[in-house]
Amino acid sequence: MIEIAIWFAFACFGAAIMLCLYRIISAEGVGTRVLALDTMVINTIALMILYGLALGTEIFFEAAMIIAMLGFVSTVAYARFMLRGNIIE
């Protein structure tokens, strides 16, 4: 029963990533694209954790933490670029 739930979660998060990808391609503004990209990073982290649960290994949790940190830094960098036009002062 747990395996069915994990596969269902894989399908849901995979569909969410595809919808975010569509939003990145079809969005008019840069802010909407950054928001969709940040949501895609969160869904990718969820997929990595699910994959780690399915395999029973802990390495994917550490990789998810690294990707979460990179996703946060990239979102802040995009926001600063949109507000000020430069990232590093």
Side-chain angles (χ1 to χ4, degrees):
M1 188 67 175
I2 293 175
E3 294 170 358
I4 295 172
I6 288 177
W7 284 108
F8 181 72
F10 270 124
C12 289
F13 282 114
I17 287 177
M18 289 300 164
L19 289 172
C20 287
L21 185 62
Y22 171 74
R23 191 64 183 163
I24 289 171
I25 293 170
S26 68
E28 294 178 5
V30 178
T32 308
R33 289 182 179 162
V34 170
L35 183 63
L37 186 64
D38 190 41
T39 307
M40 184 184 269
V41 168
I42 292 169
N43 288 328
T44 304
I45 292 167
L47 276 176
M48 288 182 69
I49 290 173
L50 280 172
Y51 193 64
L53 285 172
L55 292 180
T57 62
E58 297 176 359
I59 192 73
F60 290 102
F61 299 114
E62 295 172 8
M65 289 297 293
I66 291 171
I67 290 184
M69 288 187 288
L70 289 174
F72 173 74
V73 170
S74 67
T75 302
V76 170
Y78 284 141
R80 285 189 68 170
F81 180 73
M82 287 187 328
L83 288 175
R84 298 183 183 159
N86 61 355
I87 298 171
I88 300 172
E89 295 177 355

Coordinates of all heavy atoms in Angstrom, one line a residue:
M1 N 0.8 -1.2 0.0 CA 0.0 0.0 0.0 C 0.9 1.3 0.0 O 0.5 2.2 -0.6 CB -0.9 0.0 1.2 CG -1.9 1.0 1.2 SD -3.1 0.8 -0.1 CE -4.2 2.1 0.2
I2 N 2.0 1.2 0.7 CA 2.9 2.4 0.7 C 3.5 2.6 -0.6 O 3.7 3.7 -1.0 CB 3.9 2.2 1.8 CG1 3.3 2.2 3.2 CG2 5.0 3.3 1.8 CD1 4.2 1.9 4.4
E3 N 3.8 1.5 -1.3 CA 4.4 1.7 -2.7 C 3.5 2.3 -3.6 O 3.9 3.1 -4.4 CB 4.8 0.3 -3.2 CG 5.9 -0.4 -2.4 CD 6.1 -1.8 -2.8 OE1 5.4 -2.3 -3.6 OE2 7.0 -2.4 -2.2
I4 N 2.2 2.1 -3.5 CA 1.2 2.7 -4.4 C 1.1 4.2 -4.1 O 1.1 5.0 -5.0 CB -0.2 2.1 -4.2 CG1 -0.1 0.6 -4.7 CG2 -1.3 2.8 -5.0 CD1 -1.4 -0.2 -4.4
A5 N 1.2 4.5 -2.8 CA 1.2 6.0 -2.4 C 2.4 6.7 -2.9 O 2.3 7.8 -3.3 CB 1.1 6.1 -0.9
I6 N 3.6 6.0 -2.8 CA 4.8 6.7 -3.3 C 4.7 6.9 -4.8 O 5.1 7.9 -5.4 CB 6.0 5.9 -2.9 CG1 6.3 6.0 -1.4 CG2 7.3 6.3 -3.7 CD1 7.4 5.2 -0.9
W7 N 4.2 5.9 -5.6 CA 4.1 6.1 -7.0 C 3.1 7.1 -7.4 O 3.3 7.9 -8.3 CB 3.7 4.7 -7.7 CG 4.9 3.8 -7.8 CD1 5.2 2.7 -7.1 CD2 6.1 4.0 -8.6 NE1 6.4 2.2 -7.4 CE2 7.0 2.9 -8.4 CE3 6.5 5.0 -9.6 CZ2 8.2 2.8 -9.0 CZ3 7.7 4.8 -10.2 CH2 8.5 3.8 -9.9
F8 N 2.0 7.2 -6.6 CA 1.0 8.3 -6.8 C 1.6 9.7 -6.6 O 1.4 10.6 -7.3 CB -0.2 8.1 -5.9 CG -1.3 9.1 -6.1 CD1 -2.0 9.1 -7.3 CD2 -1.5 10.1 -5.2 CE1 -3.0 10.1 -7.5 CE2 -2.5 11.0 -5.3 CZ -3.2 11.0 -6.5
A9 N 2.4 9.7 -5.5 CA 3.1 11.0 -5.2 C 4.1 11.4 -6.3 O 4.2 12.5 -6.7 CB 3.8 10.9 -3.9
F10 N 4.8 10.4 -6.9 CA 5.7 10.6 -8.0 C 5.0 11.2 -9.2 O 5.4 12.2 -9.8 CB 6.4 9.3 -8.5 CG 7.7 9.0 -7.8 CD1 7.8 7.8 -7.1 CD2 8.7 9.8 -7.8 CE1 9.0 7.4 -6.5 CE2 9.9 9.5 -7.2 CZ 10.1 8.3 -6.6
A11 N 3.8 10.7 -9.5 CA 3.0 11.1 -10.6 C 2.5 12.6 -10.3 O 2.5 13.4 -11.2 CB 1.8 10.2 -10.8
C12 N 2.1 12.8 -9.1 CA 1.6 14.2 -8.8 C 2.7 15.2 -8.9 O 2.5 16.3 -9.5 CB 0.9 14.2 -7.4 SG -0.6 13.3 -7.3
F13 N 3.8 14.9 -8.3 CA 4.9 15.9 -8.4 C 5.5 16.0 -9.8 O 5.9 17.1 -10.2 CB 6.0 15.6 -7.4 CG 5.6 15.9 -5.9 CD1 5.5 14.9 -5.0 CD2 5.5 17.2 -5.6 CE1 5.1 15.3 -3.7 CE2 5.2 17.6 -4.3 CZ 5.0 16.6 -3.3
G14 N 5.5 14.9 -10.5 CA 5.9 15.0 -11.9 C 5.0 15.9 -12.7 O 5.4 16.7 -13.6
A15 N 3.7 15.8 -12.5 CA 2.7 16.6 -13.2 C 2.9 18.1 -12.8 O 2.8 19.0 -13.6 CB 1.3 16.2 -12.9
A16 N 3.2 18.3 -11.5 CA 3.4 19.7 -11.0 C 4.6 20.3 -11.7 O 4.6 21.5 -12.1 CB 3.5 19.7 -9.5
I17 N 5.7 19.5 -11.9 CA 6.9 20.0 -12.6 C 6.5 20.4 -14.0 O 7.0 21.4 -14.5 CB 8.0 19.0 -12.4 CG1 8.6 19.0 -11.0 CG2 9.1 19.3 -13.4 CD1 9.6 18.0 -10.8
M18 N 5.8 19.5 -14.7 CA 5.4 19.8 -16.1 C 4.5 21.1 -16.2 O 4.7 21.9 -17.1 CB 4.6 18.6 -16.7 CG 5.5 17.5 -16.9 SD 6.8 17.9 -18.1 CE 7.9 16.6 -17.8
L19 N 3.6 21.3 -15.2 CA 2.8 22.5 -15.2 C 3.7 23.8 -14.9 O 3.5 24.8 -15.5 CB 1.7 22.4 -14.2 CG 0.6 21.4 -14.5 CD1 -0.4 21.3 -13.3 CD2 -0.1 21.9 -15.8
C20 N 4.7 23.6 -14.1 CA 5.6 24.7 -13.8 C 6.4 25.0 -15.1 O 6.7 26.2 -15.4 CB 6.5 24.4 -12.6 SG 5.7 24.5 -11.1
L21 N 6.9 24.0 -15.8 CA 7.6 24.2 -17.0 C 6.8 24.9 -18.0 O 7.3 25.8 -18.7 CB 8.1 22.8 -17.5 CG 9.0 22.9 -18.7 CD1 10.3 23.6 -18.4 CD2 9.3 21.5 -19.2
Y22 N 5.5 24.5 -18.1 CA 4.6 25.2 -19.1 C 4.5 26.7 -18.7 O 4.5 27.6 -19.5 CB 3.2 24.6 -19.1 CG 2.2 25.3 -19.8 CD1 2.2 25.4 -21.2 CD2 1.2 26.1 -19.2 CE1 1.3 26.1 -21.9 CE2 0.3 26.8 -19.8 CZ 0.3 26.8 -21.2 OH -0.6 27.6 -21.9
R23 N 4.4 27.0 -17.4 CA 4.2 28.3 -16.9 C 5.5 29.2 -17.2 O 5.4 30.3 -17.5 CB 3.9 28.4 -15.4 CG 3.5 29.7 -14.9 CD 2.2 30.1 -15.6 NE 1.9 31.4 -15.1 CZ 1.0 32.2 -15.8 NH1 0.4 31.8 -16.8 NH2 0.7 33.4 -15.3
I24 N 6.7 28.5 -17.1 CA 7.9 29.2 -17.3 C 8.0 29.6 -18.8 O 8.4 30.7 -19.2 CB 9.1 28.4 -17.0 CG1 9.3 28.3 -15.4 CG2 10.4 28.9 -17.6 CD1 10.3 27.3 -15.0
I25 N 7.5 28.7 -19.7 CA 7.6 29.0 -21.1 C 6.5 30.0 -21.5 O 6.8 30.9 -22.3 CB 7.4 27.7 -21.9 CG1 8.6 26.8 -21.7 CG2 7.2 27.9 -23.4 CD1 8.4 25.4 -22.2
S26 N 5.3 30.0 -21.0 CA 4.2 30.8 -21.4 C 4.0 32.1 -20.6 O 3.1 32.9 -21.0 CB 2.9 30.0 -21.4 OG 2.5 29.7 -20.1
A27 N 4.8 32.3 -19.6 CA 4.6 33.5 -18.8 C 5.0 34.8 -19.5 O 5.9 34.8 -20.3 CB 5.3 33.4 -17.5
E28 N 4.3 35.9 -19.2 CA 4.6 37.1 -19.8 C 5.7 37.9 -19.0 O 6.5 38.5 -19.6 CB 3.3 38.0 -20.0 CG 2.3 37.4 -20.9 CD 1.1 38.2 -21.0 OE1 1.0 39.3 -20.4 OE2 0.1 37.8 -21.7
G29 N 5.6 37.9 -17.7 CA 6.5 38.7 -16.9 C 7.6 37.8 -16.3 O 7.5 36.6 -16.2
V30 N 8.7 38.5 -15.9 CA 9.8 37.8 -15.4 C 9.5 37.3 -14.0 O 9.9 36.3 -13.6 CB 11.0 38.8 -15.3 CG1 12.2 38.1 -14.7 CG2 11.4 39.3 -16.7
G31 N 8.7 38.1 -13.2 CA 8.3 37.7 -11.9 C 7.6 36.4 -11.8 O 7.8 35.5 -10.9
T32 N 6.7 36.2 -12.8 CA 5.9 34.9 -12.9 C 6.9 33.8 -13.2 O 6.7 32.7 -12.6 CB 4.8 35.1 -13.9 OG1 4.1 36.2 -13.6 CG2 3.9 33.8 -13.9
R33 N 7.8 34.0 -14.0 CA 8.8 32.9 -14.4 C 9.7 32.6 -13.2 O 9.9 31.4 -13.0 CB 9.7 33.4 -15.5 CG 8.9 33.4 -16.8 CD 9.8 33.8 -18.0 NE 9.0 33.8 -19.2 CZ 9.3 34.5 -20.3 NH1 10.4 35.1 -20.4 NH2 8.5 34.4 -21.3
V34 N 10.1 33.6 -12.4 CA 10.9 33.3 -11.2 C 10.1 32.5 -10.2 O 10.6 31.5 -9.6 CB 11.4 34.6 -10.6 CG1 12.1 34.3 -9.3 CG2 12.4 35.2 -11.6
L35 N 8.8 32.9 -10.0 CA 8.0 32.1 -9.1 C 7.7 30.7 -9.6 O 7.8 29.8 -8.7 CB 6.6 32.9 -9.0 CG 5.6 32.3 -8.0 CD1 6.2 32.3 -6.6 CD2 4.3 33.0 -8.0
A36 N 7.5 30.5 -10.8 CA 7.4 29.1 -11.4 C 8.6 28.3 -11.2 O 8.6 27.1 -10.9 CB 6.9 29.2 -12.8
L37 N 9.8 29.0 -11.4 CA 11.1 28.3 -11.3 C 11.3 27.9 -9.8 O 11.8 26.8 -9.6 CB 12.2 29.1 -11.8 CG 13.6 28.5 -11.9 CD1 13.6 27.4 -12.9 CD2 14.6 29.5 -12.3
D38 N 11.0 28.7 -8.9 CA 11.1 28.4 -7.5 C 10.2 27.3 -7.1 O 10.6 26.4 -6.4 CB 10.8 29.7 -6.6 CG 11.2 29.5 -5.2 OD1 12.3 28.9 -4.9 OD2 10.4 29.9 -4.3
T39 N 9.0 27.3 -7.6 CA 8.0 26.2 -7.4 C 8.6 24.9 -8.0 O 8.4 23.8 -7.4 CB 6.7 26.5 -7.9 OG1 6.2 27.8 -7.4 CG2 5.6 25.5 -7.5
M40 N 9.2 25.0 -9.1 CA 9.8 23.8 -9.7 C 10.9 23.2 -8.9 O 11.1 22.0 -8.8 CB 10.3 24.1 -11.1 CG 10.8 22.9 -11.9 SD 11.5 23.4 -13.5 CE 10.0 23.2 -14.5
V41 N 11.7 24.1 -8.3 CA 12.8 23.6 -7.4 C 12.2 22.9 -6.2 O 12.7 21.8 -5.8 CB 13.7 24.8 -7.0 CG1 14.6 24.4 -5.8 CG2 14.5 25.3 -8.1
I42 N 11.1 23.4 -5.6 CA 10.5 22.8 -4.5 C 10.0 21.4 -4.9 O 10.1 20.4 -4.1 CB 9.4 23.7 -3.9 CG1 10.0 24.9 -3.3 CG2 8.6 22.9 -2.9 CD1 9.1 26.0 -2.9
N43 N 9.3 21.3 -6.0 CA 8.8 20.0 -6.5 C 9.9 19.0 -6.8 O 9.8 17.8 -6.5 CB 7.9 20.2 -7.7 CG 6.6 20.8 -7.4 OD1 6.1 20.7 -6.3 ND2 6.1 21.6 -8.3
T44 N 11.1 19.5 -7.3 CA 12.2 18.6 -7.5 C 12.8 18.1 -6.2 O 13.1 16.9 -6.1 CB 13.3 19.4 -8.3 OG1 12.7 19.9 -9.5 CG2 14.5 18.5 -8.6
I45 N 12.8 18.9 -5.2 CA 13.2 18.5 -3.9 C 12.3 17.4 -3.4 O 12.8 16.4 -2.8 CB 13.3 19.7 -2.9 CG1 14.4 20.6 -3.3 CG2 13.5 19.2 -1.5 CD1 14.4 22.0 -2.6
A46 N 11.0 17.6 -3.5 CA 10.1 16.6 -3.1 C 10.3 15.3 -3.9 O 10.2 14.2 -3.2 CB 8.6 17.1 -3.3
L47 N 10.5 15.3 -5.1 CA 10.8 14.1 -5.9 C 12.1 13.4 -5.5 O 12.1 12.2 -5.4 CB 10.9 14.4 -7.4 CG 9.6 14.5 -8.2 CD1 9.9 14.9 -9.6 CD2 8.8 13.2 -8.1
M48 N 13.1 14.2 -5.1 CA 14.3 13.6 -4.6 C 14.1 12.9 -3.3 O 14.6 11.8 -3.1 CB 15.4 14.6 -4.5 CG 16.0 15.1 -5.8 SD 17.3 16.3 -5.7 CE 18.6 15.2 -5.0
I49 N 13.3 13.5 -2.4 CA 13.0 12.8 -1.1 C 12.2 11.6 -1.3 O 12.4 10.6 -0.7 CB 12.4 13.8 -0.2 CG1 13.4 14.9 0.2 CG2 11.8 13.2 1.0 CD1 12.8 16.1 1.0
L50 N 11.2 11.6 -2.2 CA 10.4 10.4 -2.5 C 11.3 9.3 -3.1 O 11.1 8.2 -2.8 CB 9.3 10.8 -3.5 CG 8.1 11.4 -2.9 CD1 7.2 11.9 -4.0 CD2 7.4 10.5 -2.0
Y51 N 12.2 9.7 -4.0 CA 13.1 8.7 -4.5 C 14.0 8.1 -3.5 O 14.2 6.8 -3.5 CB 14.0 9.3 -5.6 CG 14.7 8.3 -6.5 CD1 14.0 7.4 -7.3 CD2 16.1 8.3 -6.5 CE1 14.6 6.5 -8.1 CE2 16.7 7.4 -7.3 CZ 16.0 6.5 -8.1 OH 16.7 5.6 -8.9
G52 N 14.5 8.9 -2.5 CA 15.2 8.3 -1.4 C 14.4 7.4 -0.5 O 14.9 6.4 0.0
L53 N 13.1 7.8 -0.3 CA 12.3 6.9 0.4 C 12.0 5.6 -0.3 O 12.0 4.5 0.3 CB 10.9 7.6 0.7 CG 10.9 8.6 1.8 CD1 9.6 9.3 1.8 CD2 11.2 8.0 3.1
A54 N 11.9 5.6 -1.6 CA 11.6 4.4 -2.4 C 12.8 3.5 -2.4 O 12.6 2.3 -2.3 CB 11.2 4.8 -3.8
L55 N 14.0 4.1 -2.4 CA 15.2 3.2 -2.4 C 15.7 2.9 -1.0 O 16.5 1.9 -0.9 CB 16.3 3.9 -3.2 CG 16.1 4.1 -4.7 CD1 17.3 4.8 -5.3 CD2 15.9 2.7 -5.4
G56 N 15.3 3.6 -0.1 CA 15.7 3.4 1.3 C 17.1 3.9 1.6 O 17.8 3.3 2.5
T57 N 17.6 4.9 0.9 CA 18.9 5.4 1.1 C 18.8 6.9 1.7 O 17.8 7.5 1.5 CB 19.7 5.5 -0.2 OG1 19.1 6.4 -1.1 CG2 19.9 4.1 -0.8
E58 N 19.9 7.3 2.3 CA 19.9 8.6 2.9 C 20.6 9.7 2.1 O 20.6 10.9 2.4 CB 20.6 8.6 4.3 CG 19.8 7.7 5.3 CD 20.5 7.5 6.6 OE1 21.6 8.1 6.7 OE2 20.0 6.8 7.4
I59 N 21.3 9.3 1.0 CA 22.1 10.2 0.2 C 21.2 11.2 -0.5 O 21.6 12.4 -0.7 CB 23.0 9.5 -0.8 CG1 24.0 10.4 -1.4 CG2 22.2 8.8 -1.9 CD1 25.1 10.8 -0.5
F60 N 20.0 10.8 -0.8 CA 19.1 11.8 -1.5 C 18.6 12.9 -0.6 O 18.3 14.0 -1.1 CB 17.9 11.0 -2.2 CG 18.4 10.1 -3.3 CD1 18.5 8.8 -3.2 CD2 18.6 10.7 -4.5 CE1 18.9 8.0 -4.2 CE2 19.1 9.9 -5.6 CZ 19.2 8.6 -5.4
F61 N 18.5 12.6 0.7 CA 18.1 13.7 1.6 C 19.2 14.7 1.7 O 18.9 15.9 1.7 CB 17.9 13.1 3.0 CG 16.8 12.0 3.0 CD1 17.0 10.7 3.3 CD2 15.5 12.4 2.7 CE1 16.0 9.8 3.2 CE2 14.4 11.5 2.7 CZ 14.7 10.2 2.9
E62 N 20.4 14.3 1.7 CA 21.5 15.3 1.7 C 21.6 16.1 0.4 O 21.8 17.3 0.4 CB 22.9 14.6 1.9 CG 22.9 14.0 3.3 CD 24.2 13.1 3.5 OE1 25.0 13.1 2.6 OE2 24.2 12.4 4.5
A63 N 21.4 15.4 -0.7 CA 21.3 16.1 -2.0 C 20.1 17.1 -2.1 O 20.2 18.2 -2.6 CB 21.2 15.1 -3.1
A64 N 19.0 16.7 -1.5 CA 17.8 17.6 -1.4 C 18.1 18.9 -0.6 O 17.7 20.0 -0.9 CB 16.6 16.9 -0.9
M65 N 18.9 18.7 0.5 CA 19.3 19.9 1.3 C 20.2 20.8 0.5 O 20.0 22.1 0.6 CB 20.0 19.4 2.6 CG 19.1 18.8 3.6 SD 17.8 19.8 4.2 CE 18.7 21.0 5.1
I66 N 21.1 20.3 -0.3 CA 22.0 21.1 -1.1 C 21.2 21.9 -2.1 O 21.4 23.1 -2.4 CB 23.1 20.3 -1.7 CG1 24.0 19.8 -0.6 CG2 23.9 21.1 -2.7 CD1 25.1 18.8 -1.0
I67 N 20.3 21.2 -2.8 CA 19.5 21.8 -3.8 C 18.5 22.8 -3.2 O 18.3 23.9 -3.8 CB 18.7 20.7 -4.6 CG1 19.7 20.0 -5.5 CG2 17.6 21.4 -5.5 CD1 19.2 19.0 -6.4
A68 N 18.0 22.6 -2.0 CA 17.2 23.6 -1.3 C 18.0 24.9 -1.1 O 17.4 26.0 -1.3 CB 16.6 23.0 0.0
M69 N 19.2 24.7 -0.6 CA 20.0 25.9 -0.4 C 20.3 26.7 -1.7 O 20.2 27.9 -1.7 CB 21.3 25.5 0.3 CG 21.1 25.1 1.8 SD 22.7 24.8 2.6 CE 23.2 23.3 1.9
L70 N 20.6 26.0 -2.7 CA 20.9 26.6 -4.0 C 19.6 27.3 -4.6 O 19.7 28.3 -5.2 CB 21.4 25.6 -5.0 CG 22.9 25.1 -4.7 CD1 23.2 24.0 -5.7 CD2 23.8 26.2 -4.9
G71 N 18.5 26.6 -4.4 CA 17.2 27.2 -4.8 C 16.9 28.5 -4.1 O 16.5 29.5 -4.7
F72 N 17.2 28.5 -2.8 CA 16.9 29.8 -2.0 C 17.8 30.9 -2.5 O 17.4 32.0 -2.7 CB 17.1 29.5 -0.5 CG 17.0 30.7 0.3 CD1 15.8 31.3 0.5 CD2 18.2 31.3 0.8 CE1 15.7 32.5 1.3 CE2 18.1 32.4 1.6 CZ 16.9 33.0 1.8
V73 N 19.1 30.6 -2.6 CA 20.1 31.6 -3.1 C 19.7 32.1 -4.5 O 19.8 33.3 -4.7 CB 21.5 31.1 -3.0 CG1 22.5 32.0 -3.6 CG2 21.9 30.8 -1.5
S74 N 19.4 31.2 -5.3 CA 19.0 31.7 -6.7 C 17.8 32.5 -6.7 O 17.7 33.5 -7.5 CB 18.9 30.5 -7.6 OG 17.8 29.7 -7.3
T75 N 16.8 32.2 -5.9 CA 15.6 33.0 -5.9 C 15.9 34.4 -5.3 O 15.4 35.4 -5.9 CB 14.5 32.3 -5.0 OG1 14.2 31.0 -5.5 CG2 13.2 33.1 -4.9
V76 N 16.7 34.5 -4.3 CA 17.1 35.8 -3.8 C 17.9 36.6 -4.8 O 17.7 37.8 -5.0 CB 17.9 35.6 -2.5 CG1 18.5 36.9 -2.0 CG2 17.0 35.1 -1.4
A77 N 18.8 35.9 -5.5 CA 19.5 36.6 -6.6 C 18.6 37.1 -7.7 O 18.8 38.2 -8.2 CB 20.6 35.7 -7.1
Y78 N 17.7 36.3 -8.1 CA 16.7 36.8 -9.1 C 15.9 38.0 -8.7 O 15.7 38.9 -9.4 CB 15.8 35.7 -9.6 CG 16.4 34.6 -10.4 CD1 16.0 33.3 -10.3 CD2 17.2 34.9 -11.5 CE1 16.6 32.3 -11.1 CE2 17.8 34.0 -12.3 CZ 17.4 32.7 -12.1 OH 18.0 31.7 -12.9
A79 N 15.5 37.9 -7.4 CA 14.7 39.0 -6.9 C 15.5 40.3 -6.8 O 15.0 41.4 -7.1 CB 14.2 38.7 -5.5
R80 N 16.8 40.2 -6.4 CA 17.6 41.4 -6.3 C 17.9 41.9 -7.7 O 18.0 43.1 -7.9 CB 18.9 41.1 -5.6 CG 18.8 41.0 -4.1 CD 20.1 40.9 -3.4 NE 20.7 42.2 -3.6 CZ 21.8 42.5 -2.9 NH1 22.4 41.6 -2.1 NH2 22.4 43.7 -3.1
F81 N 18.1 41.0 -8.7 CA 18.3 41.5 -10.0 C 17.1 42.2 -10.6 O 17.2 43.2 -11.3 CB 18.7 40.3 -10.9 CG 18.9 40.7 -12.3 CD1 20.1 41.4 -12.7 CD2 18.0 40.4 -13.3 CE1 20.3 41.7 -14.0 CE2 18.3 40.8 -14.6 CZ 19.4 41.4 -15.0
M82 N 15.9 41.7 -10.3 CA 14.7 42.3 -10.8 C 14.5 43.7 -10.1 O 14.0 44.6 -10.8 CB 13.5 41.5 -10.5 CG 13.4 40.3 -11.4 SD 11.9 39.3 -11.4 CE 11.3 39.4 -9.7
L83 N 14.8 43.8 -8.8 CA 14.6 45.1 -8.1 C 15.7 46.2 -8.5 O 15.3 47.3 -8.7 CB 14.6 44.9 -6.6 CG 13.3 44.2 -6.1 CD1 13.5 43.9 -4.6 CD2 12.1 45.0 -6.4
R84 N 16.9 45.8 -8.5 CA 18.0 46.7 -8.6 C 18.8 46.7 -9.9 O 19.5 47.6 -10.2 CB 19.0 46.5 -7.5 CG 18.4 46.7 -6.1 CD 19.4 46.6 -5.0 NE 18.7 46.7 -3.8 CZ 19.2 46.2 -2.6 NH1 20.4 45.6 -2.6 NH2 18.6 46.4 -1.5
G85 N 18.7 45.6 -10.7 CA 19.4 45.5 -11.9 C 20.8 44.9 -11.8 O 21.4 44.6 -12.8
N86 N 21.3 44.7 -10.5 CA 22.5 44.0 -10.3 C 22.4 43.1 -9.1 O 21.5 43.3 -8.3 CB 23.7 45.0 -10.1 CG 23.5 45.9 -8.9 OD1 22.5 45.8 -8.3 ND2 24.5 46.7 -8.6
I87 N 23.3 42.2 -9.0 CA 23.2 41.2 -8.0 C 24.2 41.5 -6.9 O 23.9 41.5 -5.7 CB 23.5 39.8 -8.5 CG1 22.4 39.4 -9.5 CG2 23.5 38.7 -7.4 CD1 22.6 38.1 -10.2
I88 N 25.4 41.8 -7.2 CA 26.5 42.1 -6.3 C 26.7 43.6 -6.3 O 27.0 44.2 -7.4 CB 27.7 41.3 -6.6 CG1 27.4 39.8 -6.6 CG2 28.9 41.7 -5.6 CD1 28.6 39.0 -7.0
E89 N 26.7 44.3 -5.2 CA 27.0 45.7 -5.1 C 28.5 46.0 -5.0 O 29.2 45.4 -4.4 CB 26.2 46.3 -4.0 CG 24.7 46.2 -4.2 CD 24.0 46.7 -3.0 OE1 24.6 47.1 -2.0 OE2 22.8 46.8 -3.1

